[in-house]
Amino acid sequence: MMSKTSFTKYFLIAFTLMFISSGLSAGTFGSDGNKKKDKEKKEELSADGPYVLYQPDGKTRVISVDKKGKITDTTYVALPEDFILHVVDHKGRFPFDVRLHPVKRPDWKYRQPEKVFVMSDPHGKLDCVISLLQGNGIIDKNYNWSFGNNHLMVIGDIFDRGKDVPQIFWLFYKLEDEAAKAGGTVSFLLGNHEPLVLANDLRYTKDKYKVLAQKLNMNYPELFGPDTELGKWLGTRNTMQIIGRDLYVHAGLGKNFYDRNLSIPTVNEEMSKALFMNKKERRVLSPLIAFLYGNDGPIWYRGLVRTDAKYHPMAQDSLQMVMERYKVKHIIVGHTIFKDISTFYDGKVIGVNVDNKENQKKKRGRALLIDKNTYFVVGDKGILRKL
């Protein structure tokens, strides 16, 4: 007769063997982690582009991806006169067409129209952009400009974090042309993520873009290089701009910036010179460019909205000197995320960057509407409150 101890031992061995066997036959034993890794490796393509690349021989290459992940790569000897780009988001939604138009650097200073709509940091989320612009009458149901002779200001950072990066660029590219024909203006300023990606720093970039570049045997930044349509457009975007009595810049301006006594056109031109360079090349080009692209430069400096010593917070009197130099009453920035549209320095500095997805869900502030001299916080369905 088997002892109690022997029986227990036998039972445990049998149970263990049965567990291993069932795990192996089901293909699950010890494989959860591997499956997760495989899924990460097999990042699938989704609707993307189009990308318009100008070849050295004068031909034009147009690359796009449909929602099933199929890549279309066509080279034209010459683009047809009626050439149109078809754009959809990564799931195939929000279709709109784009016609190519001449690009040039926008003015650095604009008069104050009746209304200015200010948003920032769209970060590849086209659905959030469409919802906000439609909900506030900037575009109509067909994604066309409907803001008359008013001004749309977007304070940087379309690259990274989302899956609709080129689509958002194309939307603002298209709206810029439509607005100009209606007597209005669309401004997109450079953020810190534009030069990050163009310098091949892809730490915040979704894998689908890296996969596409790999399949095309290219580096991802080449899809936005100076020899592409979107690259030409990005290469002429400003870093700082004034509308009426408001100065717009992606991150902020500190005392170190003030001490360099720079004009706004100088900043815009110097930033563009190094947009397609890496960090080392920017340093070699000039000390000024190294500063402008550094932590105390206009696309990274957080000291207007953060008080931690490491951000070199701006003293009140230094801020006043900046405002007097550029003859403005407010500095409006993106870059640093807050739960809602926020003010600093007794309302002289306004931060408009929020988590767009979260704030859309929670019906919190997502943008700023300046109507004549009154500043309103707006959400996806219009005005929420006076600032």
Side-chain angles (χ1 to χ4, degrees):
M1 191 175 173
M2 195 182 288
S3 71
K4 197 173 180 181
T5 308
S6 298
F7 177 80
T8 306
K9 200 172 177 182
Y10 175 81
F11 178 80
L12 286 171
I13 291 167
F15 180 80
T16 304
L17 286 169
M18 187 175 74
F19 176 75
I20 290 170
S21 170
S22 66
L24 289 171
S25 66
T28 58
F29 185 70
S31 70
D32 282 358
N34 291 335
K35 276 190 171 179
K36 220 172 192 178
K37 280 177 189 169
D38 285 346
K39 195 177 178 188
E40 283 167 7
K41 280 179 193 168
K42 290 176 186 171
E43 170 72 32
E44 291 191 6
L45 296 178
S46 56
D48 189 10
Y51 299 95
V52 179
L53 294 78
Y54 298 112
Q55 308 294 293
D57 61 4
K59 294 175 183 174
T60 303
R61 184 180 177 190
V62 180
I63 302 164
S64 62
V65 185
D66 69 17
K67 65 179 180 181
K68 290 180 180 174
K70 183 190 169 193
I71 300 171
T72 302
D73 187 346
T74 308
T75 299
Y76 297 84
V77 175
L79 289 177
E81 272 186 43
D82 58 349
F83 182 71
I84 289 173
L85 297 170
H86 302 289
V87 183
V88 293
D89 88 329
H90 67 285
K91 292 181 177 178
R93 304 169 299 175
F94 316 119
F96 61 88
D97 291 339
V98 179
R99 290 182 185 277
L100 301 183
H101 61 78
V103 299
K104 62 174 186 173
R105 180 175 298 284
D107 295 335
W108 66 271
K109 191 173 186 178
Y110 289 84
R111 63 169 188 82
Q112 182 82 20
E114 187 180 341
K115 293 178 182 177
V116 181
F117 190 84
V118 188
M119 59 183 286
S120 82
D121 298 69
H123 279 306
K125 296 177 180 71
L126 184 63
D127 59 336
C128 287
V129 174
I130 296 285
S131 171
L132 185 64
L133 295 182
Q134 283 183 336
N136 287 277
I138 314 302
I139 60 175
D140 63 22
K141 64 178 184 178
N142 297 315
Y143 322 112
N144 297 315
W145 178 258
S146 60
F147 203 39
N149 58 3
N150 296 305
H151 203 135
L152 167 63
M153 165 60 77
V154 186
I155 316 180
D157 278 6
I158 287 173
F159 275 119
D160 292 337
R161 298 201 166 101
K163 293 188 173 183
D164 300 314
V165 167
Q167 295 95 319
I168 297 176
F169 280 128
W170 285 124
L171 180 65
F172 292 134
Y173 173 101
K174 171 182 100 84
L175 292 176
E176 173 186 74
D177 193 40
E178 292 172 358
K181 287 169 181 168
T185 311
V186 173
S187 297
F188 170 73
L189 301 185
L190 295 175
N192 60 307
H193 282 259
E194 276 68 51
L196 270 181
V197 170
L198 295 173
N200 209 24
D201 184 336
L202 307 182
R203 69 186 106 156
Y204 305 105
T205 302
K206 289 287 184 189
D207 284 344
K208 67 171 261 187
Y209 297 113
K210 300 170 192 175
V211 171
L212 175 63
Q214 199 174 23
K215 284 181 182 290
L216 295 169
N217 200 24
M218 299 170 76
N219 288 322
Y220 178 56
E222 291 177 67
L223 293 169
F224 295 92
D227 53 355
T228 71
E229 186 65 20
L230 286 177
K232 283 182 177 181
W233 188 77
L234 282 167
T236 55
R237 296 308 93 186
N238 288 330
T239 298
M240 296 171 65
Q241 214 165 284
I242 290 174
I243 305 173
R245 300 300 298 276
D246 297 321
L247 188 155
Y248 298 86
V249 61
H250 179 65
L253 307 173
K255 181 67 164 59
N256 283 344
F257 179 89
Y258 175 82
D259 289 343
R260 280 167 171 76
N261 193 19
L262 299 166
S263 73
I264 292 175
T266 297
V267 172
N268 292 336
E269 284 154 22
E270 292 295 311
M271 287 290 290
S272 290
K273 275 183 197 174
L275 183 60
F276 299 98
M277 294 181 177
N278 62 36
K279 202 172 182 179
K280 189 179 176 184
E281 289 168 332
R282 288 169 188 152
R283 276 203 301 267
V284 169
L285 193 59
S286 79
L288 173 58
I289 280 170
F291 167 76
L292 289 172
Y293 275 93
N295 286 338
D296 282 341
I299 60 172
W300 282 100
Y301 176 72
R302 296 187 198 267
L304 286 181
V305 297
R306 297 290 296 272
T307 54
D308 325 39
K310 67 177 179 178
Y311 296 120
H312 308 143
M314 186 73 139
Q316 190 96 27
D317 59 345
S318 298
L319 175 63
Q320 199 51 46
M321 290 193 298
V322 169
M323 292 186 147
E324 283 169 11
R325 170 171 291 161
Y326 298 115
K327 297 180 174 60
V328 295
K329 289 189 173 179
H330 302 97
I331 298 178
I332 302 177
V333 300
H335 191 48
T336 306
I337 293 182
F338 293 98
K339 278 193 173 178
D340 208 333
I341 307 303
S342 307
T343 60
F344 310 85
Y345 297 89
D346 301 320
K348 289 175 184 167
V349 174
I350 304 170
V352 298
N353 187 21
V354 298
D355 181 324
N356 281 296
K357 207 68 168 167
E358 187 181 337
N359 281 36
Q360 184 184 39
K361 280 180 196 165
K362 296 188 175 176
K363 298 179 180 173
R364 288 200 294 242
R366 290 231 286 129
L368 188 70
L369 174 67
I370 305 166
D371 190 342
K372 300 182 180 72
N373 293 315
T374 309
Y375 293 66
F376 295 100
V377 175
V378 299
D380 287 73
K381 292 187 177 175
I383 291 171
L384 293 175
R385 66 181 186 277
K386 197 172 168 184
L387 186 66

